[in-house]
Amino acid sequence: MKEDSAPCSWIPDLSDASGPIYLALADAIQEGIAAGTLPEGERLPTHRALAAALDLDLTTVTRAYGEARRRGLVDAAAGRGTFVRGPLAQPPMVEPLPAEIDLSMNLPPQPPAAAIPAKLSQTMAAILRRSDAARVLSYHPSAGGTAERAAAARWLAPLLGTVPPSRVLVTAGGQAALMALLTTLAPPGSTVLTEQFTYPGLRAIAVQTGIALEGLPMDGDGLLPEALDAACARLKPAALYTIPTIQNPTAATMPPARRAAVAEIARRHRLAVIEDDAYGLLPSAPAPPLATFAPDRTWYLGTLSKCLLPALRVAYLVAPDDRCAARIQAALRAVCQMVPPLSAAVATRWVQDGTALRLVEDIRAEAARRQDVARRILPAGSFAAHGQGHHIWLRLPACRSATGFATQARRFGLALVPDTAFAVGPAPDASVRISLGAAPDLDSLAAALGRIGSLLDENADALAEIV
Ligand SMILES: Cc1ncc(COP(=O)(O)O)c(C=O)c1O
């Protein structure tokens, strides 16, 4: 049977629709997914079949499917049709099953010699012994006090140069800062551009706030400037969200020329840029942040989660100017009231007394050792990585699916994350992100990667079933 003459498998009731019909049809897709009538992986009727069934113009259905794609509801695969992406309220995340070795969490490794727990308890005890300890136990300004903002500016100076503390906000982790930024910069229904694979936390925010993400194609150096230029002209996006250094998940790092090109395009299109530099302090010789190319339109975010400790819940956000800083401070108050004062006090002290810098150096060195293990064990050329990063992006052999591979790895006692958790739009090939930081030590990491190496073997599917 010719595809276009196939019976229409799904016909929504649009009799009560008001407003543009293409939006009503996109809403119906969203409702169908939420109600379970359109399950994950279901192929939607062809444009032509649905147009005929609903007595609509073909272009109306095409527009509706385009809108559904923009909302992240469906993926279109050339020549194969349009497929339901999955339950909207839950972008695919890591399965919460216990795994023998966790390669799913992008944590900084904790080198035993760094003695982070001991340092943490000493610093907290010292803070609580201070004469003004009661202050730490109370409410604080929502973006940090004067000393904390000054420490943040000092911490970021090697990357950004001198930034007035009035533009620097201390936030309760990177995720809270992103929520405040997205709700401030991108109204519901607007489009935010991202790399074609991006941080799942950003996808979760887009779902909560009704923002459409549009993924931009990438190469080994990050997002393609010409694609950014075209998307700006076509979609009039509210912002670009990008991770230029050790991108999560692809590990791509934009070289300076690519950063300059991105900044020039952003300036030409008057585009707000959210630069998520979560991994920016890991390279010993980092490229200049995008914020140094376009300081007047870039929101620079540097969390301490990846270079020190996620449990601190401290990140530093630099606004383009003082007015923008005040605006985002109001949003931060709405999102989480304030950065946890005890954590902010620890971070401030560690920045001031040099502990933070020494810990980053220890973590960077351990990350490099772990990358060496990956290079030694996995086949050459099978993955993309940065030599001082926490993760690698493993390209799977043709015919292997990323979710199938992750499920299989579970059976071998390993947790890793398939590309579907990061994809904004259709994924071109199958890849998985393997995080090296959560494994307890180098030996268990080597054992885990050895198992992954054997899983890459074509026969692993069959072997896994043998008991
Ligand atoms: C790119 C990126 N941004 C932000 C975050 C979240 O950071 P935080 O722990 O500070 O909320 C992560 C965590 O994985 C990340 O990979």
Side-chain angles (χ1 to χ4, degrees):
M1 186 172 4
K2 215 168 139 257
E3 192 179 69
D4 283 353
S5 59
C8 207
S9 53
W10 174 76
I11 307 176
D13 178 6
L14 300 183
S15 51
D16 290 337
S18 58
I21 202 79
Y22 85 96
L23 287 181
L25 185 47
D27 289 345
I29 295 172
Q30 190 157 347
E31 283 154 20
I33 293 172
T37 43
L38 285 176
E40 180 172 3
E42 173 94 352
R43 189 164 80 179
L44 291 182
T46 63
H47 300 204
R48 204 173 293 282
L50 194 57
L54 291 171
D55 197 18
L56 295 175
D57 211 62
L58 184 61
T59 52
T60 306
V61 177
T62 303
R63 239 180 128 192
Y65 279 19
E67 172 65 19
R69 229 195 102 221
R70 269 168 34 83
R71 292 184 196 175
L73 302 170
V74 297
D75 286 329
R80 291 197 295 122
T82 302
F83 295 87
V84 172
R85 221 180 151 167
L88 188 62
Q90 304 152 12
M93 297 292 281
V94 184
E95 282 179 66
L97 292 173
E100 209 180 293
I101 301 180
D102 186 359
L103 302 171
S104 69
M105 286 270 192
N106 226 5
L107 297 178
Q110 286 205 10
I116 295 177
K119 285 194 175 69
L120 198 53
S121 73
Q122 281 159 15
T123 307
M124 283 194 175
I127 290 167
L128 293 171
R129 274 197 305 269
R130 271 179 357 203
S131 57
D132 64 348
R135 255 198 76 240
V136 180
L137 303 180
S138 180
Y139 282 102
H140 273 213
S142 50
T146 314
E148 286 142 7
R149 293 171 78 161
R154 177 173 159 188
W155 180 245
L156 297 175
L159 286 166
L160 297 180
T162 306
V163 179
S166 55
R167 278 175 52 205
V168 183
L169 303 110
V170 185
T171 73
Q175 186 69 21
L178 288 174
M179 185 71 178
L181 280 171
L182 271 277
T183 48
T184 303
L185 300 176
S190 65
T191 299
V192 169
L193 305 178
T194 70
E195 280 102 2
Q196 69 187 128
F197 296 101
T198 197
Y199 164 51
L202 198 265
R203 291 185 55 202
I205 292 174
V207 167
Q208 290 298 322
T209 53
I211 293 165
L213 297 181
E214 180 77 15
L216 298 172
M218 309 171 70
D219 62 14
D221 287 343
L223 68 86
L224 297 178
E226 55 277 20
L228 171 64
D229 199 9
C232 286
R234 185 166 51 89
L235 298 168
K236 305 278 176 272
L240 165 70
Y241 167 83
T242 177
I243 310 166
T245 299
I246 318 186
Q247 207 259 349
N248 183 7
T250 64
T253 294
M254 282 187 201
R258 178 73 58 99
R259 293 169 191 243
V262 168
E264 186 279 319
I265 293 164
R267 179 162 292 122
R268 194 154 30 82
H269 290 279
R270 298 171 173 276
L271 182 68
V273 177
I274 300 170
E275 176 174 25
D276 187 342
D277 211 19
Y279 304 93
L281 277 162
L282 293 176
S284 42
L290 273 174
T292 61
F293 292 93
D296 52 329
R297 53 187 51 263
T298 304
W299 298 81
Y300 176 90
L301 177 59
T303 176
L304 300 186
S305 288
K306 309 296 171 175
C307 61
L308 287 182
L309 204 58
L312 272 185
R313 306 312 306 143
V314 174
Y316 298 144
L317 175 65
V318 181
D321 55 39
D322 286 2
R323 198 179 50 84
C324 289
R327 217 171 128 210
I328 210 71
Q329 182 162 354
L332 284 168
R333 194 175 310 122
V335 168
C336 57
Q337 180 67 252
M338 62 181 178
V339 60
L342 193 50
S343 287
V346 170
T348 299
R349 186 174 271 236
W350 281 3
V351 169
Q352 287 166 343
D353 69 10
T355 303
L357 206 53
R358 283 191 297 278
L359 286 177
V360 173
E361 282 161 5
D362 289 345
I363 286 169
R364 181 188 292 141
E366 175 67 13
R369 283 191 283 275
R370 290 174 181 234
Q371 290 285 346
D372 284 345
V373 172
R375 271 195 300 275
R376 190 160 47 77
I377 290 181
L378 293 173
S382 63
F383 63 92
H386 183 286
Q388 291 162 324
H390 296 326
H391 60 278
I392 65 172
W393 185 237
L394 179 73
R395 174 101 162 260
L396 299 178
C399 305
R400 302 294 288 271
S401 91
T403 42
F405 191 82
T407 309
Q408 190 118 54
R410 273 280 170 188
R411 289 193 214 137
F412 282 75
L414 305 171
L416 41 79
V417 190
D419 54 13
T420 45
F422 310 98
V424 181
D429 0 76
S431 302
V432 292
R433 188 192 71 184
I434 299 176
S435 297
L436 310 180
D441 50 46
L442 294 177
D443 286 345
S444 47
L445 177 66
L449 294 178
R451 284 188 221 171
I452 296 215
S454 49
L455 270 176
L456 284 171
D457 185 330
E458 294 256 10
N459 294 323
D461 281 354
L463 287 175
E465 301 303 339
I466 299 171
V467 289

